[in-house]
Amino acid sequence: MEMNEAQKWIKQFYGDRGWTNYGPFIRLGFLMEETGEVAQAIRSYEIGRDRPDESTPSQEQLKHNLIEEIGDVIGNISLLADLYHISLDEAFAAHQEKLLKRFSS
């Protein structure tokens, strides 16, 4: 799925559930929460959680969880971009241009 197509899908899916009614500060809070969950998923994948009260998931399960959490971050980034009428393609193009300018000799 292309980025702009994914962005439209996310807006529709979240919108159907009323999840696009939140303003930028609430959405940013959701993004921070999901970013923390990515950090936890990476920690679990790389070094484990060392919790005797939890079963140890397989590496496959840990990777699947990491994929899901990264997807949640993408969803929230997409909705934030949409709040400001920015397409994900436009954001990536600007990012790419900035890096190419910065690191080209």
Side-chain angles (χ1 to χ4, degrees):
M1 182 180 291
E2 297 293 321
M3 282 195 285
N4 281 345
E5 184 182 340
Q7 187 173 12
K8 288 176 189 172
W9 185 89
I10 289 166
K11 183 179 181 180
Q12 178 70 45
F13 187 86
Y14 280 56
D16 288 347
R17 286 150 184 81
W19 299 345
T20 55
N21 298 333
Y22 302 113
F25 295 110
I26 291 173
R27 180 60 52 204
L28 185 61
F30 290 149
L31 174 61
M32 295 301 100
E33 177 183 348
E34 296 301 344
T35 302
E37 290 174 9
V38 168
Q40 184 179 29
I42 289 171
R43 176 182 171 217
S44 295
Y45 186 88
E46 292 295 332
I47 64 172
R49 289 180 38 89
D50 195 21
R51 296 270 315 253
D53 60 334
E54 294 179 0
S55 62
T56 304
S58 69
Q59 283 299 108
E60 184 178 311
Q61 290 170 314
L62 292 169
K63 185 170 184 178
H64 180 76
N65 183 53
L66 177 56
I67 290 167
E68 286 182 348
E69 297 304 341
I70 288 173
D72 291 344
V73 168
I74 292 168
N76 279 284
I77 291 287
S78 175
L79 292 173
L80 274 171
D82 195 68
L83 280 172
Y84 295 99
H85 310 289
I86 299 167
S87 75
L88 292 178
D89 282 336
E90 178 183 12
F92 182 79
H95 176 66
Q96 184 180 39
E97 181 181 339
K98 175 182 74 175
L99 291 176
L100 290 173
K101 270 186 193 175
R102 185 178 294 165
F103 293 101
S104 65
S105 300

